[in-house]
Amino acid sequence: SYGSQHYVALARSRGETITGAIVHDMIGYNGNREPVFEVHVGRLAGSLALAGAVVGTIEAYGLPLIARTAITDAMGRSDHESYWRADVPAVLLIEDTELGPTEDWNPFYHTTEDTADLDMAKIRAEATAAKVAPGVKSGPAGKPKSGRSSSGWPSSGWSPW
């Protein structure tokens, strides 16, 4: 059972509303050195909006990423599926595994050699952090302005690491 199944069930039992989930899974591998990742969206309208926010952030901040989206052919098999089953908008951001010509699957998946490319993981995490992190403000053309440290993370001290 996924931890997300427990979380969704617990939130529902408490009468809490989950507005959406952006799930990162396997974002630290990049064997072919191409900046591709996948956004598995599914069919919920709210999921489409979440995917649009992620892709829009990539464009607005000029992040060196290529997002391939899957709507009707989106895969389950990760924590986002628990949200979909509860009709909660969710997207899965995952390394280049199934879509397009590259399919850069991690050959070390679930082994002791499964180590992260931290530079790629950081860039992929930034694709959502800029949208959801507290203290982020936007300036002209969506470029970050005040409220951010020299590292690019919000000056509130929030960091995914």
Side-chain angles (χ1 to χ4, degrees):
S1 164
Y2 297 119
S4 61
Q5 287 174 321
H6 175 74
Y7 172 72
V8 169
L10 183 63
R12 289 273 164 106
S13 73
R14 293 177 174 170
E16 298 171 354
T17 300
I18 303 170
T19 57
I22 301 173
V23 176
H24 293 246
D25 191 0
M26 298 171 41
I27 63 168
Y29 178 76
N30 190 17
N32 62 9
R33 309 308 306 158
E34 293 184 18
V36 176
F37 77 104
E38 298 172 6
V39 182
H40 290 263
V41 181
R43 298 172 189 254
L44 294 174
S47 296
L48 204 51
L50 282 174
V54 170
V55 172
T57 299
I58 292 166
E59 293 169 357
Y61 284 76
L63 297 175
L65 293 171
I66 300 167
R68 292 193 177 126
T69 57
I71 298 172
T72 58
D73 58 342
M75 72 172 177
R77 303 187 316 267
S78 190
D79 283 302
H80 67 295
E81 187 175 20
S82 300
Y83 297 95
W84 288 351
R85 288 182 180 179
D87 291 322
V88 174
V91 294
L92 169 67
L93 279 62
I94 191 167
E95 63 193 28
D96 184 19
T97 61
E98 297 186 357
L99 304 174
T102 53
E103 295 186 13
D104 187 22
W105 181 258
N106 182 348
F108 307 110
Y109 181 60
H110 285 190
T111 72
T112 56
E113 283 128 44
D114 188 1
T115 58
D117 174 343
L118 294 180
D119 290 333
M120 183 54 62
K122 179 178 181 261
I123 292 168
R124 288 173 175 160
E126 285 174 341
T128 55
K131 262 305 181 214
V132 300
V136 175
K137 297 181 173 75
S138 294
K143 299 295 181 192
K145 59 177 191 179
S146 63
R148 296 179 73 83
S149 67
S150 61
S151 69
W153 293 108
S155 56
S156 65
W158 181 89
S159 171
W161 314 116

